[in-house]
């Protein structure tokens, strides 16, 4: 019934809290000495009252807070009135004598066990932060009473309500109790190995003077330290006036003490200590295989004593990561709903065909339909990749896990890594199935690689055949239903072609990774320039081919003095009008028209449907050729420069790897493959421009018809609709006829969006439209009559408005109004009932890692902690709080 650090200390016997301390101890982490009374000891002790306890728990009305408190008090009384029997008391005394130094004060902590291991305290899904009791600085003769109180704390009102809200049973609970030597630390901290609000892979440390109870239970102010993976430290230092420490008057227990003036404004940790602690956190995370929430204390000698480590509860269903780093290249700045809807459709069909080519079954593809249809998001008028949707989709490919970090870096171009829940342990059968899937995936990948070149050639051939008669053919003269039907047919057939472009992209990433690994293994560290040089040569990329064809047009102009004068004089539109009227030399006119016919879908921001492309504005080609004429550049010079770059790269490779002929040969082979993949990528990108160009023609033709019929004020208004709204209006599948009304709403949205400064990437953990952070506030925010803006630490994202309810203690008789935002100096588990009843939480003290923050995140309540002056907010004031940015705005003071 008692286990020590020399025993197995399995979680089903001693609870997750103490089982993990055993693991840390075995790995060489400094853990204060301890022993545990197992759950069996609890069950034996309370056996005489177990039936009555179970009866009371069955009767409780969880919707009646007073009844929850009544039942809790009755159960706790039953447990506490059951004394330790003589044998258990004797075993406890013997363990204290054997395991702990004489006359040392101890900490007595509880860890609640449940009928199912995953429902126990500090499991990977349920932290139960602060729900069971701990007693610090306990003298030897106070240990038995503290043990019994720990047992009864499993049935606290907050614990019962917490379990009920999470759908967990309170039946069959047991309590393990740890008795641990009390470390007299002068500084204490809580450390998360990932940001608990955003899941960003950076270490977050909340540190204060005194013992850890002051940090965890929000009794003292704390400094925050944010350490990124490169070791850079960002810190938020506050005024720390009080701390919790040993009550030296009694010789045991804790008291609140003043922080000396010399330490109040000094950072609790140095940057070097923060970096060292972050390293310890990563080591512990690797040990457990998941992000960790770690509590520790530092003694005056600087030694770190870890007293708890539990998994950070990650809830991916609430969390989404967004980035426009890669997608902004194709859709820069704000764009219209129509462009977004067409882009979203394209990404869906593209990835569906890619997964099919990778061997994903029809059943799995059907299950991913909702995910592949939402790979893009439309946030404040801008298109973002939903990284969460992408990783969910790609996770069905067994090969993805090995390439995940390279995908994030090279394809998604993420600046930040984000934590994810660790996968559940695989069964032997599960591992066998995984290896079988992996083998099939390697076989399919080998086949795709072997057939990539002919497959891509077939793709180009079939696409040109499909689009040959359609380029520039859609017009307002065609029947609207015919236009819609043709559009659907083109996109249906495109859905069977386009996946090969992603197969190519996949091998491009693999090739890029292999080249980097070979260069690094051969001591080549700085290779960006070398990489670029060795990518020169090979088949001309589509973008370069188009540019060189324009340079050839410029060469024709320069070679004919009369043509040069006529072409470079006057306004570009006038030159095009003359050329279009046949007033220029026939050979040049034919070449110019051929360029427009072949490359007319190229243009500035060519995938944004609201923007004209070269086919629509041919005078832009006149302007471009004029620039080339003036520069004097020639095709020969440009191609020669590329050959010289390649030669310089080859020479540099020989210089930096002089004694590695085999490695150099392998690199040359891989670079040849990479150049081929790049050629295919650029070719696919231009064909994508053709698909979007065709779509633009159809949509604008429909917009023109709706304008003529009085539905839209301007043909261009069609781009403020989305594709389903437009097609639904035409073919009867839509849900509104008021397209003009939709246009006005969208116009206002876009005007507002253009005044925002968006982030390149961010994470949300709430309704996305209410949780998107900005560099600038919305310009149409309501007037701030009171003019007060407070700033704290955002702990649970979400933006809500409501009335301030300033509470000094949780013994509130009346229920909170539905729109109440709870304002408090600090909270503890006793506030849980009020916290769950509020729309948002603002506390003056506390940290991102405190009980308030953890509970807010667990239940999705927008929460801000560490807000100076929060208690000065007048009760009843109208507030808006943003749990992502930590911003509290007093919109209107209470009357």
């Amino acid at each position: 019934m008692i286990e020590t650090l020399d025993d197995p200390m399995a979680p089903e016997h001693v609870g997750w809290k103490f089982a993990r301390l055993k693991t840390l101890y075995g790995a060489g982490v400094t853990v204060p000495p301890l022993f545990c009374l197992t759950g069996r000891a609890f069950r034996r002790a309370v056996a005489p009252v177990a039936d009555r306890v179970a009866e009371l728990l069955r009767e409780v009305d969880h919707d009646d807070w007073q009844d929850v408190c009544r039942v809790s008090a009755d159960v706790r009384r039953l447990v506490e009135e059951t004394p330790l029997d003589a044998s258990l008391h004797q075993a406890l005394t013997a363990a204290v004598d054997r395991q702990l130094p004489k006359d040392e004060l101890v900490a007595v902590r509880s860890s609640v066990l449940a009928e199912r291991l995953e429902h126990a305290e500090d499991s990977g899904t349920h932290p139960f932060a602060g729900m069971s009791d701990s007693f610090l600085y306990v003298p030897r003769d106070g240990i038995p009473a503290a043990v019994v109180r720990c047992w009864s704390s499993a049935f606290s009102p907050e614990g019962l309500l917490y379990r009920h809200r999470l759908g967990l049973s309170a039946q069959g609970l047991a309590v393990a109790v740890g008795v641990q030597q009390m470390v007299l630390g002068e500084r204490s901290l809580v450390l998360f190995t990932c940001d608990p609000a955003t899941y960003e892979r950076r270490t977050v440390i909340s540190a204060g003077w005194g013992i850890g109870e002051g940090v965890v239970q929000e009794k003292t102010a704390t400094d925050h330290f944010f350490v990124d993976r490169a070791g850079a430290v960002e810190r938020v230092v506050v005024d720390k006036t009080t701390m919790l420490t040993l009550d030296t008057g009694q010789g045991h227990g804790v008291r609140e003490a003043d922080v000396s003036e010399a330490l109040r404004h000094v950072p609790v940790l140095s940057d070097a200590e923060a970096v060292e602690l972050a390293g310890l956190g990563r080591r512990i995370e690797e040990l457990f295989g998941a992000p960790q929430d770690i509590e520790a204390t530092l003694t005056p000698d600087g030694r770190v004593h870890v007293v708890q480590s539990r998994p950070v509860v990650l809830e991916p269903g609430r969390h989404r990561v967004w980035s426009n780093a890669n997608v902004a290249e194709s859709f820069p700045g704000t764009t219209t709903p129509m462009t977004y809807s067409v882009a979203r459709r394209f990404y869906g069909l593209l990835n569906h065909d890619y997964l099919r080519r990778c061997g994903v079954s029809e059943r799995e593809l059907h299950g991913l339909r909702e995910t592949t249809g939402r790979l893009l998001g439309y946030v404040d008028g801008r298109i973002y990749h939903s990284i969460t949707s992408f990783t969910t989709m790609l996770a069905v490919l067994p090969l993805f896990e090995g390439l995940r970090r390279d995908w994030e870096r090279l394809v998604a171009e993420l600046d930040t890594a984000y934590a994810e829940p660790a996968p559940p342990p695989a069964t032997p059968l599960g591992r066998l199935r995984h290896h079988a899937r992996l083998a099939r995936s390697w076989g399919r990948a080998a086949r795709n690689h072997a057939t990539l070149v002919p497959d891509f050639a077939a793709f180009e051939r079939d696409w040109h055949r499909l689009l040959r008669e359609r380029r520039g053919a859609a017009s307002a003269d065609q029947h609207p239903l015919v236009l819609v039907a043709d559009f659907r047919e083109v996109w249906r057939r495109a859905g069977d072609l386009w996946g090969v472009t992603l197969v190519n992209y996949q091998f491009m990433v693999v090739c890029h990774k292999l080249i980097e690994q070979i260069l690094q293994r051969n001591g080549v560290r700085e290779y960006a320039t070398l990489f670029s040089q060795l990518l020169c040569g090979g088949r001309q990329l589509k973008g370069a081919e188009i540019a060189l064809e324009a340079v050839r047009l410029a060469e024709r102009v320069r070679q004919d003095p009369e043509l040069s004068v006529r072409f470079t004089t006057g306004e570009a539109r006038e030159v095009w009008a003359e050329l279009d009227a046949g007033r220029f030399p026939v050979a040049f006119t034919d070449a110019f028209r051929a360029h427009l016919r072949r490359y007319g879908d190229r243009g500035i921001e060519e995938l944004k449907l609201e923007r004209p492309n070269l086919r629509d504005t041919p005078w832009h080609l006149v302007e471009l050729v004029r620039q080339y004429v003036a520069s004097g550049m020639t095709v020969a010079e440009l191609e020669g420069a590329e050959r010289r770059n390649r030669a310089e790269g080859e020479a540099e490779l020989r210089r930096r790897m002089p004694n590695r002929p085999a490695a150099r040969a392998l690199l040359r082979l891989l670079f040849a493959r990479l150049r081929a993949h790049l050629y295919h990528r650029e070719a696919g990108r231009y064909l994508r421009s053709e698909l979007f160009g065709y779509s633009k023609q159809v949509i604008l033709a429909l917009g023109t018809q709706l304008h003529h019929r009085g539905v839209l004020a301007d043909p261009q208004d069609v781009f403020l609709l989305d594709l389903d709204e437009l097609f639904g209006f035409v073919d009867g599948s839509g849900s509104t006829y008021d397209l003009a009304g939709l246009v006005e709403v969208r116009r206002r949205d876009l005007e507002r969006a253009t005044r925002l400064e968006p982030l390149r990437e961010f994470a949300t953990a709430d309704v996305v439209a209410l949780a998107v952070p900005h560099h600038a506030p919305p310009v149409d925010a309501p007037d701030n009559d009171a003019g007060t803006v407070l700033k704290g630490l955002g702990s649970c994202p979400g933006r809500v408005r409501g009335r301030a309810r300033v509470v000094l203690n949780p013994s509130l008789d009346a229920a909170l109004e539905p729109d109440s935002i709870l304002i408090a100096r600090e909270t503890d588990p006793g506030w849980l009932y009020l916290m769950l009843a509020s729309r948002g939480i603002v506390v003056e003290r506390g940290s991102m890692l405190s009980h308030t923050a953890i509970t807010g995140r667990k239940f999705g309540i927008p929460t801000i902690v560490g807000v100076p002056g929060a208690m000065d907010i007048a009760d009843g004031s109208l507030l808006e709080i943003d749990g992502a940015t930590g911003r509290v705005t007093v919109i209107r003071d209470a009357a």
Side-chain angles (χ1 to χ4, degrees), residues 323-331 347 385 410-414 505 681 685 688 760:
S323 173
N324 71 356
N326 182 293
V327 75
E329 177 183 340
S330 301
F331 305 99
Y347 272 70
H385 278 148
L410 299 173
V411 181
E413 298 181 18
L414 289 180
Y505 216 118
R681 183 190 70 173
R685 284 183 170 182
R688 178 185 62 178
R760 170 186 164 102

Side-chain angles (χ1 to χ4, degrees), residues 52-62 71 75 155 160 170-173:
R52 178 55 181 155
V53 168
E55 181 182 350
L56 286 168
L57 292 177
R58 284 194 295 269
E59 294 174 354
V60 64
D61 180 359
H62 290 94
V71 169
V75 172
F155 306 99
L160 296 178
Q171 300 288 342
L173 298 183

Side-chain angles (χ1 to χ4, degrees), residues 562-563 566 574-586 588-589 593:
E562 182 181 351
L563 176 60
R566 292 180 60 193
E574 295 172 354
V575 173
W576 161 248
E578 288 194 31
L579 191 150
D580 191 39
R583 296 171 188 158
F584 277 77
V586 173
F588 177 77
T589 299
R593 290 186 182 281

Side-chain angles (χ1 to χ4, degrees), residues 330-353:
S330 301
F331 305 99
T334 56
T335 190
T336 60
M338 183 61 73
T339 291
Y340 164 65
S341 63
V342 171
R344 195 177 84 170
R345 176 180 290 227
F346 175 74
Y347 272 70
L349 73 84
L350 168 74
N351 284 277
H352 183 278
D353 190 42

Side-chain angles (χ1 to χ4, degrees), residues 352 354-366 368 393 396-398 437 444:
H352 183 278
Y354 166 66
L355 294 177
R356 180 183 64 81
R357 290 169 184 264
C358 290
V360 177
S361 69
E362 285 298 326
R363 181 171 175 272
E364 288 179 299
L365 287 172
H366 180 76
L368 285 170
M393 175 190 72
V396 303
L397 302 176
R437 283 173 56 89
R444 179 61 71 111

Side-chain angles (χ1 to χ4, degrees), residues 229-295:
R229 289 282 164 167
V233 180
E234 176 187 344
R235 58 189 182 184
V236 179
V237 179
V238 299
D239 183 13
K240 299 168 286 293
T241 57
T242 60
M243 63 180 179
L244 293 187
T245 187
L246 170 65
D247 188 340
T248 53
Q250 295 188 82
H252 60 84
V254 298
R255 69 180 180 88
E256 188 174 285
D258 292 334
V259 175
S260 69
E261 187 64 34
L263 296 178
R264 283 179 54 173
H265 303 287
V266 174
V268 175
L269 302 172
S270 68
D271 286 359
E273 287 175 319
V275 171
E276 184 178 351
L277 286 164
L280 173 63
R282 286 194 296 273
R283 178 186 166 198
I284 293 174
E285 178 180 303
E286 290 170 4
L287 190 63
F288 293 118
Q292 294 292 297
D293 164 5
I294 300 164
E295 293 180 26

